[in-house]
Amino acid sequence: MAHASDGRSLEFKLPDLGEGLTEAEIVRWLVEVGDVVAVDQPVVEVETAKAMVEVPCPYGGVVTARFGEEGTELPVGAPLITVAVGDAAADVPARGPGTSAATGTAESPADEAPAAERKAEGSGNVLVGYGTSEAPARRRRVRADRQAATGASGRANGRVRGAEPVDGPVPVISPLVRRLARQHDLDLRELTGSGPDGLILRADVEYALRAAAAQGGRTAVQEAGTDRARDAASPALPASSPGSADARPDGTRVPLKGVRGAVADKLSRSRREIPDATCWVDADATELMRARTAMNASGGPRISLVALLARICTAALARFPELNATVDTEAREIVRLDRVHLGFAAQTDRGLVVPVVRDAHARDAESLTAEFARLTEAARAGRLTPGELTGGTFTLNNYGVFGVDGSTPIINHPEAAMLGVGRIVPKPWVHEGELAVRQVVQLSLTFDHRVCDGGTAGGFLRYVADCVEQPAVLLRTL
C-alpha cells in the first residue's frame, strides 16, 4: 500500500477495498499537488463495483504527485499519490489554506477548514488494512466562483447552463446519477441541480437527456443509442466465412465489468471450489404470518417478515453450527465461526449486492428490522461501504419477492450455506386432518458438502420449517 520511492517521499497505492474487488474508478480528487494532508485525511473519492468510497491516506505531508485523472480506472495496488514527509516536506512549496493549487487565487476561509481542525478529524473510512476511528459529517465545498456562475446563468431545474462549465467536483445525489450521466456522455458541469445547494438529482439528468434527444444535439442520447451510433460510424468489417476462426455471433456485446463483472467472478469461483448440494421443503407459514400481524398490532416499530426469518436462521445456526463456517483450502481445515454475520441478497439498479448484518445472533426482531431497512436503503442509493459488504458468514436469500416459489442459489463464497425463501401463497394444505387453504412457502438450503453431511443440512432445514409453522418453537431459545 505504501512505497518509499526515493527515501524522502512515500507512495500511497490504491488499497484492497474488500469483497474481491480488483479495481476502482477515480470519481474526484479531494487534494491538489502542493496540498498539505494530515494522516488519515481523505484524498480521493473512488467508485467500485459496489459502492462509492473516500480513500484516506495513512501519511501526513505535502502531496507531490497524483496518478490518474477523474474517470480513470485503476487496479488495486496502483499508485494514487506521493507524499513528501518529514524534512522532505519542507523542500516542497505547500499551498496555503486559502490558495488554489490550480490558479493561485484566494478562496473564502469558509471553503476550507483550519488545518488543526482537519488534523483532529478522522476520515471514518474503514478499508482493508487500515482506517480511522471517527466519521465526521461530510461538508460539501462550494467555491465562490461556482456560486456566482450559478446565480448568473442556468436555472435550478436540470437545464443546461448558459455560462461556461465550472471546474471542480460536481455534487450529485448518488453514484447512480453520476453513472447515468457518464453512460450517456453527459457533462454534469453543464447542469444546474435542482436539489439543495445545487445538488444534481436523477430527475435533472433525465430532463437534460430528454432535451438533448429532442434537439438532436447529443449522439449518446439518440433513439439509436450509443452503441448503435458508434457501430454506424465505424468502417464496415469484412465478413468472416462460416468456418473462420475469428467469426463471432451477431448481437450486442456487454462488457463484464463493474457489478456484473464482480458478481460473475465471485459466482464462478463458488462453482469451481464449492461442492454444493440443495435440499428443500414446503412449510405452512400461516402461524408465522399471524404472529407478525399480532406483533405489529401491539404498537411500536413494525416488524418485517425478513427480520423474523433472520431470527429463525440465527436460532437454527445455534443448533447446527456446522453451517456457520468456511473452508480453509490451504490448511485443509473447516473453520467454525462463533459469530453470525448475516448477509442478505438485495437487488438494486447497480446489480445484485449482499449487505451484511453484523452480529445478527445478538439482535432481536426490532433491531434486525431496523438494520435491514438501513442497509437496503444504502444499497439502493449506492452508499454501502466495503465494510458493509464483506465478512458475511451465512446468507438469507428472499427470492420470493420476485414472485417465484423455488430456487437452487449459488453459495456466496467463502460461506458454507444459504437459506432460500420463496413466495408465500395460499394453497390447499392438510391442517389438523382436514383440507384447508393455508399460506405455504417453499424453503431451500444450499450447503457446502465439505462442512457437513445431508443429515445436518436436513436437520437445519427441518428446524427452520418447524419455526415457520410453529413460531412458539423459538421461545425455547429466547
Side-chain angles (χ1 to χ4, degrees), residues 88-365:
D91 299 332
V92 180
R95 284 177 56 200
T99 304
S100 167
T103 64
T105 57
E107 294 179 356
S108 168
D111 285 347
E112 189 164 346
E117 178 184 338
R118 294 199 311 273
K119 186 174 181 180
E121 293 176 343
S123 67
N125 294 323
V126 180
L127 302 179
V128 177
Y130 73 101
T132 61
S133 59
E134 186 178 4
R138 292 186 61 182
R139 299 185 298 274
R140 183 179 297 111
R141 294 171 54 188
V142 181
R143 298 181 184 272
D145 56 349
R146 179 182 178 87
Q147 290 174 331
T150 303
S153 63
R155 285 163 286 182
N157 56 5
R159 287 170 170 78
V160 178
R161 294 177 183 272
E164 291 295 323
V166 180
D167 293 333
V170 180
V172 297
I173 194 169
S174 78
L176 298 178
V177 175
R178 195 183 303 278
R179 183 178 293 273
L180 178 64
R182 186 165 59 245
Q183 289 174 342
H184 292 85
D185 196 26
L186 178 65
D187 187 355
L188 290 172
R189 293 180 176 86
E190 297 179 358
L191 302 185
T192 300
S194 59
D197 297 328
L199 186 68
I200 295 178
L201 310 179
R202 186 185 184 98
D204 299 330
V205 174
E206 290 175 342
Y207 182 93
L209 293 175
R210 287 195 301 269
Q215 297 170 3
R218 287 187 182 273
T219 304
V221 295
Q222 295 293 330
E223 184 177 351
T226 305
D227 292 338
R228 192 175 301 173
R230 184 167 57 249
D231 293 342
S234 302
L237 297 176
S240 301
S241 62
S244 175
D246 61 352
R248 293 185 176 183
D250 294 334
T252 302
R253 291 180 173 269
V254 180
L256 266 178
K257 60 184 296 186
V259 174
R260 191 74 263 151
V263 170
D265 293 341
K266 189 157 192 176
L267 296 185
S268 297
R269 182 179 182 184
S270 178
R271 273 288 189 239
R272 286 195 306 268
E273 296 185 8
I274 299 178
D276 59 345
T278 302
C279 53
W280 55 89
V281 66
D282 289 341
D284 179 3
T286 305
E287 296 305 320
L288 179 66
M289 301 299 287
R290 287 176 178 171
R292 176 174 176 259
T293 300
M295 290 179 188
N296 291 334
S298 62
R302 293 183 62 82
I303 304 299
S304 67
L305 180 60
V306 70
L308 295 180
L309 293 170
R311 184 66 188 86
I312 292 173
C313 274
T314 58
L317 289 171
R319 294 172 67 93
F320 300 92
E322 298 92 336
L323 293 168
N324 192 52
T326 187
V327 175
D328 186 339
T329 54
E330 292 185 2
R332 292 187 61 82
E333 293 176 341
I334 297 172
V335 183
R336 293 182 181 171
L337 306 169
D338 298 328
R339 301 160 69 182
V340 179
H341 300 316
L342 187 66
F344 65 98
Q347 192 70 36
T348 72
D349 291 342
R350 295 165 59 87
L352 178 69
V353 294
V354 184
V356 177
V357 177
R358 301 284 168 182
D359 295 318
H361 61 287
R363 296 175 181 266
D364 58 19

Side-chain angles (χ1 to χ4, degrees), residues 311-312 314-316 318-319 361 463 467 471-478:
R311 184 66 188 86
I312 292 173
T314 58
R319 294 172 67 93
H361 61 287
Y463 179 79
C467 291
V473 172
L474 276 176
L475 293 176
R476 286 180 172 270
T477 60
L478 294 181

